[in-house]
Amino acid sequence: MKRRMWILGTFAVLITLAFFIAAGDAQPGTVKQIVPGVWFREGDLKDLGHCNNIIIEMKDYLIVVDANFPSGARLAMEAAKKVSNKPVKYVFDTHHHGDHAYGNPVWTQAGATTLAYKGVTEEMKRYEPKRWLATAKERKDVAELNLPTAEPPKQTFDKSPFILKDGTREVRFYFFGWAHTRGDGFVYLPKEKVLCTGDAVANGPHNYTADADVGNWPKVVRSAAKLDVQHVLPGHGAPGGTEVLNGQAQFMTELHSAVQAAIKSGKKLDDIVKKDGAKLVSTTIQLPDGVKNWVGDGLAAQVRDAYEEISQHKPHGDVAHP
Ligand SMILES: [Zn+2]
Ligand SMILES: [Zn+2]
């Protein structure tokens, strides 16, 4: 009897382990050190809508990558306090989306300087205050700030790379072109070979294409991949290596060419995406197994965006959309 219990217990442990392995290495809410002085906090995208944050330790201060939503900003701030007693001096917005930049006022009120490529401010001018006001209706953390619109980054650069350097570390901020948004900034640590990508690279089915240039996206990722990179820290999903860069670029290439082939064969949008009212539910477009890590519920919307981009001969961000 005892032995039987032990066997059952062992099976339960094995089944639990198998579940954790099958669920991938997603570990929302955890903070792990990538290299000495660089920490990755995985945001809880599913339940809280948060992005990932990276904390970089300089000689006298910290740099945080992405402001996150206000509630995510507070969690990242707590994480920063746990790993170091140095103050957060810079918070880099990789792009203008709410889950990366709506926490800006939380950081600036705490004394940090928000920083971004100038395209981030330009995107905010394009889409705000409409998105801020719509988000405030859905998210308490945004509503509670009681502000009329998103707070743009306090400091911007237009010459890539912008460099912060001291006796201990060099951090480069790059713009490689329009991929996920017109403002996509990358953060690169040349000595440590760490690349923070924002949403230009996701590890998993987290690609949002509404503000994107789908056709140009792979070129941007391939430019970033020319850097000497060992650790890839994406905007969403788990950290990885260069396979995440290559897979992301390949996914966008496959998406674009599959939709282009459908258009060439005379297919209409309604032939390749199925709708339930205004909601997209599925697509007939199938992408190769090699990019399945990036394929998920969002595929129908990605197909629609690529279709509109190709058929209207302009980046999807320039096609009228909310
Ligand atoms: Zn995001
Ligand atoms: Zn985004």
Side-chain angles (χ1 to χ4, degrees):
M1 190 67 189
K2 255 191 181 160
R3 187 179 149 78
R4 191 181 151 82
M5 291 279 280
W6 184 84
I7 291 168
L8 282 174
T10 308
F11 266 112
V13 169
L14 284 175
I15 288 162
T16 313
L17 273 177
F19 171 76
F20 278 117
I21 292 162
D25 18 29
Q27 296 170 307
T30 60
V31 178
K32 67 172 145 193
Q33 184 169 264
I34 302 298
V35 295
V38 179
W39 296 270
F40 177 85
R41 183 181 192 281
E42 192 168 325
D44 185 344
L45 175 66
K46 195 168 143 275
D47 294 326
L48 304 172
H50 290 164
C51 71
N52 298 331
N53 286 103
I54 296 97
I55 301 161
I56 302 166
E57 186 178 31
M58 304 296 280
K59 186 165 162 279
D60 303 313
Y61 63 88
L62 304 177
I63 301 169
V64 172
V65 178
D66 275 321
N68 214 317
F69 271 125
S71 58
R74 290 182 196 107
L75 292 170
M77 217 175 258
E78 267 172 44
K81 277 187 189 135
K82 268 189 201 149
V83 299
S84 166
N85 53 18
K86 296 175 189 175
V88 176
K89 187 171 176 189
Y90 292 103
V91 176
F92 182 70
D93 294 337
T94 58
H95 61 293
H96 70 285
H97 287 153
D99 57 329
H100 298 258
Y102 280 4
N104 279 353
V106 175
W107 294 102
T108 54
Q109 279 160 27
T113 299
T114 44
L115 169 73
Y117 175 65
K118 66 170 180 175
V120 173
T121 308
E122 291 162 7
E123 289 284 67
M124 280 186 180
K125 281 188 187 139
R126 230 167 248 128
Y127 297 111
E128 304 297 358
K130 204 174 147 205
R131 289 182 181 181
W132 175 271
L133 296 172
T135 309
K137 283 189 189 140
E138 287 165 8
R139 289 189 65 101
K140 205 168 142 238
D141 61 341
V142 173
E144 278 173 353
L145 292 180
N146 257 313
L147 293 170
T149 190
E151 184 182 285
K154 296 288 182 191
Q155 187 180 332
T156 57
F157 64 91
D158 60 1
K159 250 188 75 192
S160 170
F162 173 79
I163 298 174
L164 289 173
K165 195 176 174 175
D166 64 20
T168 60
R169 210 183 295 276
E170 177 175 338
V171 181
R172 298 186 192 162
F173 302 86
Y174 281 94
F175 174 72
F176 292 113
W178 183 357
H180 178 64
T181 73
R182 292 172 179 86
D184 295 340
F186 289 76
V187 184
Y188 177 59
L189 280 61
K191 201 173 87 204
E192 299 81 0
K193 302 180 184 184
V194 170
L195 180 69
C196 314
T197 64
D199 288 357
V201 178
N203 188 5
H206 314 302
N207 281 297
Y208 177 69
T209 45
D211 301 340
D213 185 333
V214 178
N216 196 52
W217 196 322
K219 291 177 203 156
V220 170
V221 178
R222 298 211 189 279
S223 298
K226 284 190 189 130
L227 298 167
D228 185 7
V229 177
Q230 196 179 340
H231 305 277
V232 175
L233 308 181
H236 298 284
T242 50
E243 76 286 350
V244 183
L245 297 180
N246 296 331
Q248 168 75 33
Q250 195 56 32
F251 168 73
M252 282 297 160
T253 302
E254 300 288 359
L255 171 69
H256 194 269
S257 63
V259 174
Q260 196 158 42
I263 291 173
K264 277 203 179 121
S265 70
K267 295 228 165 72
K268 296 278 170 281
L269 182 56
D270 287 344
D271 299 330
I272 55 172
V273 294
K274 299 280 165 269
K275 286 182 201 158
D276 179 12
K279 205 175 168 275
L280 294 174
V281 285
S282 64
T283 175
T284 57
I285 296 287
Q286 289 193 338
L287 301 184
D289 259 10
V291 296
K292 67 169 189 250
N293 178 44
W294 288 266
V295 175
D297 293 342
L299 185 63
Q302 292 154 1
V303 165
R304 177 208 48 209
D305 292 348
Y307 187 98
E308 291 174 349
E309 173 172 313
I310 297 165
S311 58
Q312 296 182 41
H313 309 287
K314 53 187 175 190
H316 193 267
D318 274 338
V319 174
H321 67 284

